[in-house]
């Protein structure tokens, strides 16, 4: 009797072990299949990159993409060093290791975090990472976020990567609601002439319609004085500022975007532009319509906060119709 019971127990144990091994193997195969599942993507630099269909260890190198990736339900293992994040995203990534600024990410930190995907920007510092990352077998997408439509397209794409397209669609719907609230307003009279100045300690430039701020300005129907046939044909985002040109155009409003919160930019602005002989005669100056735009909404692409950026732009360009 005992012998028979022993044999039955042995058979049961063997069956349980076999079943457990089968489940383990199924789970392992599933993970390997998930890891091995790749998709081909063309980034903003024109590169065709093989990336995981569902990446698990993502590093983001700039604030805009980090904002959009989290809005699409994603999470990251590495973040940029930046102050341009919303309070919600900043709280969500407070324990995530930083990999350096957008302009100067640390290759050593990137590789050490063993990512299966890096989301970067189509700028020279990130192009400089390509050779090392390729050798390490780490894919990187170089993306451009220069206009409103690219925000929506990127959100949709991130929803595919995170496997949460519904959450991405919800974020898109919220952005489009805020967008229509501003765009659908009826405005009368001629389009105001506006100059957007991008300022750094090195130089001042005019933002064209191909820049992010220029794209928003065009969408609310204002006239960007940097919008010339030469600029359009050359496909330039920014062109050098000429005070003589500005004086001839005589804008109704002047908006300044600083590359950083560095006070030296404001000092340079006052010294070089405000003291120019033509400055005091400008309509925008005489009517006190020279404004510095918030860094987090205009110096970087604001991502999901584009509605906030658009509403502020409307308030400054069309103060007579903007809501208080």
């Amino acid at each position: 009797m005992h012998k028979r019971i022993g044999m039955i127990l042995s058979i049961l144990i063997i069956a349980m072990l076999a079943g457990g091994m089968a489940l383990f193997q199924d789970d392992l195969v599933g993970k390997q299949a998930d890891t091995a599942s790749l998709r081909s993507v063309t980034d903003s630099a024109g590169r065709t990159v093989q990336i995981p269909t569902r990446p698990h260890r993502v590093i983001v190198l700039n604030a805009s993409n980090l904002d959009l990736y989290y809005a699409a339900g994603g999470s990251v293992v590495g973040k940029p060093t930046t102050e341009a994040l919303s309070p919600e995203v900043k709280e969500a990534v407070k324990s995530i290791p930083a990999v350096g600024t957008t302009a100067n990410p640390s290759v050593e930190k990137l590789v050490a975090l063993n990512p299966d995907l890096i989301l970067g920007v189509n700028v020279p510092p990130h192009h400089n990472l390509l050779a090392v990352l390729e050798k390490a077998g780490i894919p990187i997408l170089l993306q451009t976020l220069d206009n409103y439509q690219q925000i929506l397209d990127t959100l949709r794409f991130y929803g595919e990567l995170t496997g949460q397209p519904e959450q991405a669609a919800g974020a898109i719907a919220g952005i489009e609601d805020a967008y229509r609230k501003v765009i659908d307003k009826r405005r009368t009279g001629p389009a105001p002439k506006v100059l957007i100045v991008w300022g750094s300690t090195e130089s001042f430039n005019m933002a064209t319609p191909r820049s992010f701020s220029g794209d928003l300005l065009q969408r609310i129907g204002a006239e960007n004085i940097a919008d010339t046939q030469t600029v359009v044909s050359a496909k330039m985002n920014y062109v050098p500022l000429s005070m003589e040109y500005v004086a001839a155009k005589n804008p109704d409003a002047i908006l300044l975007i600083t590359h950083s919160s560095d006070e030296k930019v404001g000092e340079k602005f006052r010294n070089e532009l405000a003291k120019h002989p033509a400055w005091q005669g400008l309509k925008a100056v005489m009517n006190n319509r020279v404004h510095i735009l918030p860094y987090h909404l205009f110096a970087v692409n604001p991502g999901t906060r584009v509605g906030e950026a658009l509403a502020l732009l409307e308030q400054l360009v069309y103060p007579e119709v903007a809501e208080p």
Side-chain angles (χ1 to χ4, degrees):
M1 182 71 177
H2 291 294
K3 185 176 180 181
R4 188 174 179 184
I5 293 175
M7 287 179 64
I8 293 172
L9 287 174
S10 298
I11 291 170
L12 288 173
I13 291 171
I14 292 171
M16 290 173 63
L17 289 174
M21 182 61 70
L23 289 172
F24 173 77
Q25 288 176 336
D26 287 344
D27 184 55
L28 181 61
V29 169
K31 290 181 178 179
Q32 288 174 339
D34 188 44
T35 304
S37 178
L38 299 175
R39 63 182 290 185
S40 180
V41 176
T42 301
D43 67 9
S44 299
R47 302 162 54 246
T48 300
V49 187
Q50 296 293 317
I51 67 171
T53 302
R54 293 282 186 275
H56 298 294
R57 297 186 58 81
V58 176
I59 295 176
V60 182
L61 301 183
N62 66 313
S64 307
N65 277 313
L66 185 59
D67 171 82
L68 294 174
Y69 196 68
Y70 265 82
S75 60
V76 299
V77 297
K79 66 181 180 183
T81 302
T82 177
E83 294 300 318
L85 299 174
S86 68
E88 296 78 14
V89 176
K90 188 178 292 186
E91 176 65 21
V93 301
K94 64 181 180 181
S95 62
I96 301 297
V99 295
T101 63
T102 298
N104 189 29
S106 166
V107 175
E108 292 78 10
K109 290 180 180 179
L110 295 178
V111 174
L113 287 171
N114 191 31
D116 54 8
L117 178 63
I118 296 178
L119 301 175
V121 190
N122 188 18
V123 294
H126 295 183
H127 279 268
N128 295 338
L129 301 171
L130 296 181
V132 175
L133 294 178
E134 183 178 353
K135 188 175 181 180
I138 301 171
I140 177 173
L141 289 179
L142 303 179
Q143 314 221 89
T144 297
L145 289 171
D146 281 343
N147 58 55
Y148 172 80
Q149 187 58 47
Q150 287 172 343
I151 292 176
L152 305 187
D153 293 342
T154 301
L155 256 175
R156 195 170 291 108
F157 170 57
Y158 287 167
E160 295 172 7
L161 290 185
T162 62
Q164 301 190 55
E166 296 84 4
Q167 182 165 334
I172 290 171
I175 291 172
E176 291 187 309
D177 286 345
Y179 175 82
R180 281 191 294 268
K181 186 177 180 181
V182 175
I183 298 300
D184 290 348
K185 288 185 180 179
R186 297 184 63 182
R187 305 178 181 93
T188 59
K193 294 189 293 185
V194 181
L195 166 66
I196 302 177
V197 180
W198 173 271
S200 69
T201 53
E202 288 78 29
S203 63
F204 288 106
N205 293 281
M206 298 186 293
T208 77
R210 289 183 58 83
S211 67
F212 170 74
S213 55
D215 174 68
L216 293 189
L217 187 65
Q218 192 173 45
R219 288 173 183 273
I220 61 173
E223 178 186 340
N224 186 343
I225 69 168
D227 186 6
T228 67
Q229 189 59 44
T230 301
V231 166
V232 172
S233 61
K235 299 181 178 180
M236 294 181 288
N237 290 20
Y238 299 92
V239 293
L241 174 68
S242 163
M243 275 304 299
E244 289 71 23
Y245 175 83
V246 172
K249 291 291 185 179
N250 199 14
D252 298 295
I254 297 174
L255 309 175
L256 174 66
I257 302 170
T258 60
H259 184 56
S260 70
S261 56
D262 192 341
E263 293 182 359
K264 293 180 181 178
V265 178
E267 183 180 342
K268 182 181 174 69
F269 179 78
R270 289 187 292 271
N271 290 339
E272 293 192 13
L273 297 186
K275 291 184 178 180
H276 193 282
W279 182 261
Q280 296 303 324
L282 295 176
K283 203 182 327 183
V285 176
M286 291 189 292
N287 294 332
N288 196 31
R289 295 188 62 191
V290 179
H291 307 282
I292 296 178
L293 298 176
Y295 175 85
H296 69 285
L297 292 179
F298 291 93
V300 296
N301 187 306
T304 56
R305 292 179 290 175
V306 65
E308 184 182 345
L310 198 66
L312 177 59
L313 200 61
E314 179 208 34
Q315 178 184 340
L316 299 177
V317 173
Y318 297 99
E320 69 282 2
V321 299
E323 292 183 352

